[in-house]
Amino acid sequence: MAKYFKSVTIEVKPLTAADEPFLWEMLYQALYVPQGHPPFPYEILQKSEISRYVQGWGKPDDLGFAALVNEQMVGAVWMRLLTGENKGFGYVDDATPELSIALLPEYRGQGIGSTLMASLLAKVHTRYKAVCLSVAPDNPALHLYQRLGFEAIKTTHAAFTLVKHLRPEDHIEAQV
């Protein structure tokens, strides 16, 4: 699928096991740092509660897409079923995969995230009844999730757990 943004063509391709190195960078970019706070050290990716989102990418239940500009990956959206002892920050239940999304900073705010989300959500409704994620209340991405129909099912001062219930008849398109 190709979309055009400000004279730039965005290609969307499925993620494969070979894309795991790029997903590590996207995982780091997905870590929300409030404005005025120092960035996390890269070593944070070694923590099991963080690494579980990418480690060994390409398992049967893994699904994701990358956005490419001029054949270079600039963002990704991916989901993984995290269950039992391996549950993630946005855990809902053992049947609901957790979604992650990130873009390189210079590509944010241009509609690319919406395109990635639409690609994933259009594909995932055939496999699952819902998807979930965790987001900080002051993260600008919260507006994207709400626009796409994610609803808060748990809130704390630090994070919202959002879920989107999927129906096969839903047709999800990027709103750019």
Side-chain angles (χ1 to χ4, degrees), residues 12 15 17-18 23 39-40 69 87 95 105-106 111 122 125-126 134-135 140 173-174:
V12 176
L15 290 168
L23 275 181
F40 292 107
V69 172
K87 42 182 145 167
E106 61 270 29
H125 74 80
T126 61
S134 177
V135 62
E173 280 192 31

Side-chain angles (χ1 to χ4, degrees), residues 105-164:
E106 61 270 29
Y107 292 94
R108 296 176 186 163
Q110 300 177 42
I112 298 169
S114 294
T115 298
L116 282 169
M117 290 288 282
S119 297
L120 183 80
L121 294 172
K123 181 80 171 173
V124 74
H125 74 80
T126 61
R127 294 169 66 176
Y128 297 101
K129 293 181 181 180
V131 294
C132 62
L133 58 86
S134 177
V135 62
D138 59 342
N139 185 329
L142 177 61
H143 303 292
L144 168 64
Y145 307 140
Q146 291 170 328
R147 191 173 72 234
L148 292 174
F150 283 80
E151 298 174 349
I153 60 166
K154 180 178 163 188
T155 60
T156 68
H157 72 284
F160 296 159
T161 298
L162 305 181
V163 73
K164 175 161 181 62

Side-chain angles (χ1 to χ4, degrees), residues 46-64:
Q46 296 171 6
K47 293 183 173 237
S48 64
E49 64 269 23
I50 306 289
S51 66
R52 67 184 51 153
Y53 288 91
V54 171
Q55 185 77 43
W57 179 259
K59 297 175 183 178
D61 288 324
D62 291 346
L63 177 66

Side-chain angles (χ1 to χ4, degrees), residues 19-100:
D19 296 319
E20 184 178 335
F22 179 70
L23 275 181
W24 283 106
E25 175 59 27
M26 290 297 93
L27 181 60
Y28 182 78
Q29 294 298 326
L31 299 173
Y32 177 67
V33 178
Q35 195 168 21
H37 287 78
F40 292 107
Y42 263 84
E43 293 76 26
I44 196 168
L45 297 179
Q46 296 171 6
K47 293 183 173 237
S48 64
E49 64 269 23
I50 306 289
S51 66
R52 67 184 51 153
Y53 288 91
V54 171
Q55 185 77 43
W57 179 259
K59 297 175 183 178
D61 288 324
D62 291 346
L63 177 66
F65 294 91
L68 293 88
V69 172
N70 297 326
E71 299 182 20
Q72 176 186 348
M73 289 192 282
V74 300
V77 61
W78 67 101
M79 59 167 231
R80 178 171 258 186
L81 200 55
L82 299 171
T83 61
E85 296 291 317
N86 200 36
K87 42 182 145 167
F89 295 110
Y91 178 83
V92 172
D93 59 42
D94 282 356
T96 305
E98 290 192 50
L99 183 148
S100 301

